[in-house]
Amino acid sequence: AQSVTQLDSQVPVFEEAPVELRCNYSSSVSVYLFWYVQYPNQGLQLLLKYLSGSTLVKGINGFEAEFNKSQTSFHLRKPSVHISDTAEYFCAVHYSGTYKYIFGTGTRLKVLA
Amino acid sequence: EPEVTQTPSHQVTQMGQEVILRCVPISNHLYFYWYRQILGQKVEFLVSFYNNEISEKSEIFDDQFSVERPDGSNFTLKIRSTKLEDSAMYFCASSVGQGAGEQYFGPGTRLTVT
């Protein structure tokens, strides 16, 4: 079955510290991978995407993610977080041959002063 | 930059009433989608629509739901007889193609069923 797992429901981290938010998906021949951020009572904002090519992708707000096909992972990283990064982060996977995105359950990032 | 728009931003309705959520996809996009997010939960796929037909739907998308592209610009989601559990944020999305093309999400409509 196609599924996306975000193991960490909440991640507290101090300001200016690095952070990694984990995302794993069930194996498939071809996938397209996305990270979205959602601020309270707002919509989904695309942070970054992997469609093909380099496995290290850079996105907005200093975020980056690495596609690891053998580990079926697409972890999101930021070297130094700010208070304003406090939000919910969703990993999404588009399996080739389907129409839908499958979202993970989300990780709530809380940046502490 | 073109964007997906949705109206209304917030809809309150009574249980059993019909609601129509409206979306204007990006003008050159051909594939359209609805997703929903119950408060505090993940985003779930409802339906995809292409060439005036449903191309894929989830188990959630039962007979009380329908979608339509009534004209060249709007894409609607109708819930025939709303239930309390239909309360959620509903996101519309559109894409140029089905494959590697990115789906662009609208800001969402918050539906509250009382």
Side-chain angles (χ1 to χ4, degrees):
Chain A
Q2 298 166 344
S3 64
V4 179
T5 302
Q6 291 183 248
L7 286 172
D8 307 305
S9 59
Q10 291 189 62
V11 174
V13 62
F14 285 104
E15 195 173 18
E16 297 183 11
V19 70
E20 178 179 84
L21 306 183
R22 296 179 293 168
C23 175
N24 288 86
Y25 61 93
S26 57
S27 182
S28 178
V29 176
S30 182
V31 293
Y32 310 106
L33 302 159
F34 305 85
W35 274 99
Y36 287 87
V37 60
Q38 186 178 40
Y39 298 100
N41 298 313
Q42 293 192 27
L44 300 166
Q45 181 181 9
L46 180 68
L47 276 177
L48 48 79
K49 59 189 176 187
Y50 171 79
L51 302 181
S52 65
S54 173
T55 57
L56 181 64
V57 293
K58 294 188 183 299
I60 62 171
N61 301 341
F63 284 93
E64 62 181 35
E66 185 154 21
F67 169 52
N68 187 320
K69 189 172 182 178
S70 62
Q71 302 286 326
T72 61
S73 67
F74 190 55
H75 300 332
L76 180 71
R77 301 186 186 99
K78 186 169 182 177
S80 175
V81 295
H82 303 291
I83 295 286
S84 58
D85 292 323
T86 294
E88 187 95 23
Y89 291 79
F90 291 96
C91 178
V93 179
H94 180 194
Y95 289 89
S96 179
T98 70
Y99 293 87
K100 64 188 178 218
Y101 283 12
I102 298 177
F103 284 81
T105 49
T107 296
R108 188 175 300 275
L109 176 65
K110 186 168 176 61
V111 181
L112 308 168
Chain B
E1 185 176 334
E3 56 185 22
V4 177
T5 59
Q6 291 184 241
T7 55
S9 57
H10 191 190
Q11 172 95 44
V12 181
T13 189
Q14 289 190 328
M15 198 166 50
Q17 295 296 304
E18 175 184 286
V19 294
I20 297 176
L21 309 183
R22 291 182 168 80
C23 167
V24 178
I26 295 173
S27 62
N28 65 330
H29 286 188
L30 301 177
Y31 294 79
F32 314 112
Y33 314 86
W34 284 101
Y35 292 79
R36 80 170 184 191
Q37 183 183 33
I38 295 171
L39 188 63
Q41 298 186 26
K42 68 176 179 180
V43 179
E44 300 172 291
F45 170 78
L46 291 177
V47 66
S48 62
F49 191 82
Y50 169 70
N51 199 26
N52 277 323
E53 288 184 346
I54 290 174
S55 45
E56 188 175 1
K57 63 180 181 178
S58 71
E59 293 170 353
I60 303 167
F61 193 86
D62 60 22
D63 291 344
Q64 71 160 342
F65 291 94
S66 61
V67 289
E68 190 180 27
R69 188 152 163 83
D71 53 44
S73 59
N74 290 282
F75 179 52
T76 62
L77 174 70
K78 182 193 291 187
I79 308 175
R80 257 179 275 283
S81 177
T82 50
K83 306 185 186 81
L84 293 176
E85 53 264 37
D86 293 327
S87 294
M89 180 75 92
Y90 288 80
F91 293 105
C92 174
S94 68
S95 66
V96 172
Q98 178 216 346
E102 175 191 337
Q103 293 180 17
Y104 291 78
F105 285 82
T109 292
R110 180 164 297 284
L111 176 65
T112 302
V113 183
T114 62

